[in-house]
C-alpha cells in the first residue's frame, strides 16, 4: 500500500495544538494541502498519489513560496485545473543555489561507483512507476499516454546511461619531453549546475541534463516550465527515494518571477554551469547573463528542420518517416520536420499518401486510448499555428487536410497538410511548433541543399534517398548538428544531441558528461 494523505481532522488537531504564531503561518499551507489532497484524488488517478507534489523542493524539503504565491496548472486537453505549485522568487532561488553549493562539498567527492549505484536506483524507480509518471506527463502536457510512456522510458534511459558513464570518467598521462617531469590530467565536476527546461518533454529534458550532472559529481538547481512542473517534482520525489542526498537536487518553480530567478541562476557566482533547452531568443539572453562570470554553458535552442524527399526515395518509407518526425507530440518537438521539400517528380505521390495517412488521425484527450494526437500546450501555440497556415494560404498554398482549430474544449488544432507552399512562406523561416506539414517542391539536389541551409539555426535535418553517393553528399552538406537519413527518429541516450549555428552550443547524451567536467593538469617535477 502507498502512503495516503493524513485525514484532514488529524491535520487540524496538529495545527490547533501548535503555538499561535505557527498556527498563523501554517494556516494557508494547511488550506492548500487539503485542497490539493482532494484534487489529487479526483484528477490524477495515480497508483502512487504521493508522487504528486504541490511544493517546490529545496535542500531536501518540500517548501511553499515565502510570499504565498502560486501557479495554476491546467490540463490542455480539457482546461481542467490540475493544481498549483509555488510562485518562487529571488530569495528562494538564492536558497536553492546555496543548498546546492553546500551539498557539492560532499557529493563532488563521492566515488563514481557510489554515484552509479544511486543513478541505477533512480532508473529502476522510474521504470517501476512508468504508468504513473506517464499519466502525469499526459495530464499536464497533453501528449498521448503511449507517447508519454515512451518519454518516460527515454527519460529513464539517461539515468541508466549516465550511471554507466560515471565509472568511465578517465584521466590520462601525457608523456613529457623531460625525464624528471610527469604530466597527468584528471577530470573533476564543475560544481553547481543551473538547469532550465521546456514543457514539450517535461521529464526527458530534465534527465538528459540531470543524469550527466549527477554522474559527474555536480549538484543542480532546476527551473521547470510553469506549464508542466509536476513531472519535475515527481522526479525529485523519486530521487529522494533513490538516496540522492539533501541539496544535491533542488527545484524552483516560477512563472511571474522567471526573469529575476533566471538571472540569479545564470549570474550567481556559486553556479559554475548553465544547461538550457528552449527558444533561441531566450538562449541568447541567458548566454549573455552567464558571460558575466564566464560559466560553462550548454544550450539546445530553436530548430527549423528540413525534411527532404528525393526522387529515388522509397516514398512509403518517406511518408512514414514524415509522420513520425512531423507529428510526434502534435509537432511540438525541437527536432520535428518544419520544412518539407519534395522533388517534383514524386511530389504528387508523396503529398497524396501523406494526406491520406493524416486524415486517419484522431485528435483528442491523450488519456483516451483511441487518440493519436493530443492538444497544443496553450492558446499562444494555437495562435502561431493559425498565423502560419493563414500566411501560407495567402501565398497560394492549398490545404489538403485540416487547417483549422478543432471546436470544443481544449487547445486542439487539426493535423494539417499544406501543398504548394512557396519558399517565401513564414513556415519556412519560423519554427511552427505545431501539427502542420508544409510541402514545398524542388527540382535539383543543389537547389534543395541551398533551401535547407537558408536558416540561422541548424539543429536537425532529414532526407530520404536510396543513392549511397547522394546520402553521403547531402548528409555532409546539411548545416545541422544531427542528420537522419531514411529515418525520422534520431534521438536516444547514447548519441550526441545538439546543433550548430543559432541552435546552440555543446552536446547532450552520448559523451555529454564531459560538459559537466573540468580537466585539471597536474605536473609532477623533481622526479
Amino acid at each position: 500500500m502507498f502512503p495516503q494523505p493524513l485525514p484532514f481532522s488529524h491535520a487540524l488537531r496538529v495545527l490547533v495544538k501548535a503555538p499561535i504564531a505557527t498556527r498563523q503561518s501554517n494556516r494557508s499551507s494547511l488550506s492548500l494541502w487539503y485542497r490539493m489532497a482532494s484534487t489529487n484524488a479526483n484528477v490524477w488517478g495515480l497508483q502512487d498519489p504521493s508522487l504528486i507534489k504541490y511544493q517546490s523542493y529545496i535542500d531536501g524539503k518540500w517548501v511553499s513560496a515565502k510570499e504565498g504565491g502560486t501557479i495554476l496548472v491546467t490540463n490542455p486537453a480539457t482546461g481542467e485545473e490540475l493544481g498549483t505549485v509555488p510562485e518562487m522568487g529571488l530569495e528562494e532561488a538564492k536558497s536553492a543555489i546555496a543548498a546546492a553549493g553546500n551539498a557539492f562539498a560532499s557529493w563532488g567527492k563521492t566515488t563514481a561507483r557510489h554515484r552509479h549505484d544511486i543513478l541505477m536506483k533512480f532508473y529502476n524507480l522510474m521504470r517501476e512507476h512508468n504508468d504513473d509518471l506517464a499519466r502525469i506527463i499526459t495530464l499536464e502536457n497533453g501528449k498521448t499516454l503511449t507517447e508519454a510512456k515512451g518519454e518516460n522510458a527515454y527519460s529513464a534511459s539517461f539515468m541508466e546511461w549516465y550511471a554507466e558513464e560515471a565509472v568511465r570518467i578517465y584521466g590520462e598521462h601525457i608523456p613529457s619531453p623531460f625525464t624528471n617531469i610527469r604530466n597527468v590530467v584528471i577530470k573533476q565536476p564543475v560544481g553547481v549546475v543551473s538547469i532550465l527546461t521546456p514543457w514539450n518533454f517535461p521529464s526527458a529534458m530534465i534527465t538528459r541534463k540531470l543524469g550527466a550532472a549527477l554522474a559527474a559529481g555536480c549538484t543542480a538547481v532546476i527551473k521547470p516550465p510553469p506549464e508542466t512542473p509536476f513531472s519535475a517534482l515527481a522526479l525529485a520525489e523519486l530521487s529522494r527515494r533513490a538516496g540522492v542526498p539533501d541539496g544535491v537536487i533542488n527545484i524552483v518553480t516560477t512563472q511571474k518571477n522567471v526573469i529575476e530567478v533566471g538571472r540569479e541562476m545564470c549570474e550567481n557566482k556559486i553556479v559554475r554551469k548553465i544547461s538550457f533547452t528552449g527558444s533561441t531568443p531566450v538562449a541568447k539572453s541567458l548566454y549573455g547573463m552567464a558571460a558575466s562570470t564566464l560559466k560553462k554553458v550548454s544550450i539546445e535552442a530553436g530548430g527549423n528542420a528540413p525534411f527532404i524527399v528525393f526522387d529515388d526515395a522509397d516514398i512509403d518509407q518517406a511518408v512514414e518517416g514524415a509522420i513520425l518526425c512531423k507529428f510526434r507530440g502534435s509537432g511540438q518537438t525541437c527536432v520535428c520536420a518544419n520544412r518539407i521539400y519534395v522533388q517534383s517528380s514524386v511530389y504528387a505521390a508523396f503529398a497524396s499518401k501523406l494526406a491520406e495517412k493524416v486524415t486517419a488521425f484522431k485528435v483528442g484527450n491523450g488519456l483516451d486510448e483511441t487518440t493519436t494526437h493530443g492538444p497544443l500546450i496553450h492558446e499562444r501555440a494555437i495562435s502561431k499555428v493559425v498565423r502560419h497556415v493563414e500566411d501560407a494560404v495567402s501565398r497560394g498554398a492549398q490545404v489538403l487536410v485540416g487547417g483549422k482549430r478543432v471546436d470544443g474544449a481544449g487547445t486542439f488544432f487539426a493535423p494539417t497538410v499544406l501543398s504548394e507552399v512557396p519558399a517565401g512562406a513564414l513556415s519556412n523561416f519560423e519554427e511552427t511548433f505545431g501539427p502542420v506539414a508544409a510541402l514545398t517542391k524542388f527540382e535539383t539536389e543543389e537547389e534543395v541543399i541551398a533551401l535547407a541551409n537558408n536558416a540561422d539555426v541548424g539543429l536537425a535535418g532529414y532526407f530520404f534517398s536510396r543513392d549511397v553517393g547522394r546520402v553521403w553528399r547531402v548528409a555532409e552538406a546539411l548545416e545541422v548538428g544531427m542528420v537522419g537519413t531514411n529515418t525520422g527518429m534520431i534521438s536516444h541516450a547514447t548519441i550526441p544531441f545538439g546543433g550548430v549555428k543559432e541552435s546552440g552550443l555543446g552536446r547532450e547524451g552520448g559523451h555529454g558528461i564531459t560538459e559537466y567536467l573540468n580537466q585539471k593538469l597536474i605536473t609532477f617535477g623533481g622526479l
Side-chain angles (χ1 to χ4, degrees):
M1 293 291 292
F2 293 107
Q4 299 297 318
L6 289 173
F8 178 69
S9 58
H10 176 84
L12 183 60
R13 286 197 300 271
V14 172
L15 179 64
V16 170
K17 292 180 180 179
I20 293 176
T22 303
R23 292 183 225 167
Q24 293 174 339
S25 63
N26 287 343
R27 187 173 292 119
S28 61
S29 296
L30 179 60
S31 175
L32 174 65
W33 173 90
Y34 183 57
R35 181 161 56 87
M36 291 301 100
S38 300
T39 301
N40 192 340
N42 296 331
V43 176
W44 295 102
L46 305 184
Q47 298 175 52
D48 181 359
S50 64
L51 288 174
I52 297 298
K53 302 296 180 184
Y54 300 99
Q55 295 173 295
S56 290
Y57 188 65
I58 297 176
D59 201 15
K61 300 177 181 64
W62 298 104
V63 294
S64 299
K66 292 186 177 179
E67 294 187 0
T70 58
I71 304 164
L72 177 63
V73 183
T74 60
N75 181 341
T78 63
E80 184 179 20
E81 295 184 10
L82 297 175
T84 64
V85 295
E87 179 66 77
M88 296 301 205
L90 182 60
E91 186 176 349
E92 289 92 346
K94 289 181 176 180
S95 296
I97 293 169
N102 292 334
F104 176 68
S106 55
W107 180 253
K109 295 177 182 177
T110 56
T111 66
R113 174 55 59 182
H114 177 74
R115 299 194 297 275
H116 165 278
D117 292 348
I118 286 181
L119 284 172
M120 285 306 300
K121 290 178 184 177
F122 203 155
Y123 163 76
N124 287 326
L125 284 167
M126 290 185 69
R127 298 295 290 169
E128 177 186 339
H129 292 85
N130 180 65
D131 289 351
D132 278 353
L133 294 175
R135 190 176 178 88
I136 294 170
I137 291 171
T138 294
L139 284 166
E140 64 180 355
N141 168 276
K143 65 179 62 176
T144 67
L145 198 55
T146 298
E147 285 196 27
K149 289 179 179 179
E151 178 180 344
N152 184 63
Y154 177 52
S155 181
S157 74
F158 287 106
M159 291 301 175
E160 180 186 35
W161 171 253
Y162 282 117
E164 297 163 346
E165 284 286 276
V167 295
R168 293 192 289 262
I169 301 174
Y170 303 137
E172 62 180 326
H173 167 251
I174 302 174
S176 171
F178 307 105
T179 58
N180 64 335
I181 293 291
R182 301 291 184 273
N183 298 310
V184 174
V185 175
I186 65 172
K187 296 177 182 178
Q188 296 177 307
V190 299
V192 176
V193 179
S194 287
I195 294 175
L196 302 98
T197 60
W199 48 260
N200 58 338
F201 288 90
S203 178
M205 293 302 94
I206 291 175
T207 58
R208 194 163 71 187
K209 304 169 188 296
L210 182 63
L214 296 181
C218 299
T219 57
V221 177
I222 303 167
K223 190 208 77 63
E227 295 90 349
T228 59
F230 289 109
S231 291
L233 296 169
L235 290 176
E237 170 61 18
L238 291 185
S239 76
R240 184 188 62 78
R241 299 181 193 180
V244 176
D246 294 351
V248 171
I249 297 174
N250 304 273
I251 297 183
V252 178
T253 54
T254 188
Q255 184 176 42
K256 295 179 181 177
N257 300 319
V258 65
I259 294 178
E260 60 192 77
V261 168
R263 182 178 297 277
E264 185 66 19
M265 291 178 70
C266 290
E267 295 184 349
N268 190 301
K269 291 185 178 181
I270 296 174
V271 175
R272 296 311 312 154
K273 176 178 169 58
I274 312 297
S275 184
F276 169 76
T277 297
S279 71
T280 295
V282 175
K284 291 179 179 180
S285 178
L286 296 178
Y287 193 23
M289 295 177 194
S292 66
T293 51
L294 292 181
K295 302 183 193 307
K296 293 189 73 168
V297 176
S298 297
I299 291 175
E300 189 240 301
N304 188 357
F307 185 100
I308 305 168
V309 182
F310 287 103
D311 56 8
D312 63 333
D314 181 322
I315 299 302
D316 290 330
Q317 184 185 46
V319 168
E320 291 301 323
I323 289 172
L324 179 64
C325 180
K326 170 71 257 184
F327 292 102
R328 184 164 60 106
S330 295
Q332 299 174 112
T333 77
C334 55
V335 293
C336 73
N338 198 59
R339 300 170 287 156
I340 301 179
Y341 301 113
V342 186
Q343 204 153 15
S344 60
S345 60
V346 295
Y347 186 92
F350 178 87
S352 175
K353 290 185 176 185
L354 180 63
E356 182 181 0
K357 292 281 188 179
V358 173
T359 300
F361 291 170
K362 180 181 177 182
V363 176
N365 191 321
L367 295 180
D368 183 343
E369 62 181 16
T370 65
T371 293
T372 61
H373 294 79
L376 301 191
I377 190 66
H378 45 47
E379 288 293 336
R380 297 191 305 279
I382 290 282
S383 297
K384 187 174 187 181
V385 173
V386 168
R387 181 162 55 88
H388 280 200
V389 171
E390 291 178 347
D391 172 79
V393 171
S394 72
R395 296 171 185 268
Q398 301 174 7
V399 178
L400 300 184
V401 180
K404 297 180 180 180
R405 179 172 185 159
V406 177
D407 294 333
T411 48
F412 294 95
F413 194 90
T416 299
V417 179
L418 301 178
S419 179
E420 305 297 337
V421 177
L426 197 58
S427 58
N428 281 324
F429 295 94
E430 290 184 2
E431 193 174 20
T432 303
F433 232 65
V436 178
L439 311 187
T440 298
K441 192 179 297 182
F442 76 92
E443 299 295 337
T444 68
E445 181 179 316
E446 294 74 19
E447 175 194 359
V448 78
I449 289 174
L451 287 170
N453 289 340
N454 184 25
D456 293 330
V457 294
L459 188 57
Y462 309 84
F463 68 92
F464 282 72
S465 171
R466 288 176 288 186
D467 181 330
V468 68
R470 171 176 278 165
V471 166
W472 276 106
R473 286 194 308 272
V474 176
E476 292 180 350
L478 290 177
E479 296 174 354
V480 296
M482 301 172 286
V483 177
T485 64
N486 296 311
T487 180
M489 178 68 73
I490 58 175
S491 302
H492 48 92
T494 60
I495 54 92
F497 189 102
V500 298
K501 299 196 283 190
E502 292 187 15
S503 282
L505 305 164
R507 291 295 182 268
E508 297 177 338
H511 299 304
I513 194 171
T514 59
E515 303 277 351
Y516 297 83
L517 295 165
N518 287 325
Q519 293 189 54
K520 178 182 284 185
L521 169 67
I522 303 175
T523 295
F524 296 87
L527 302 178

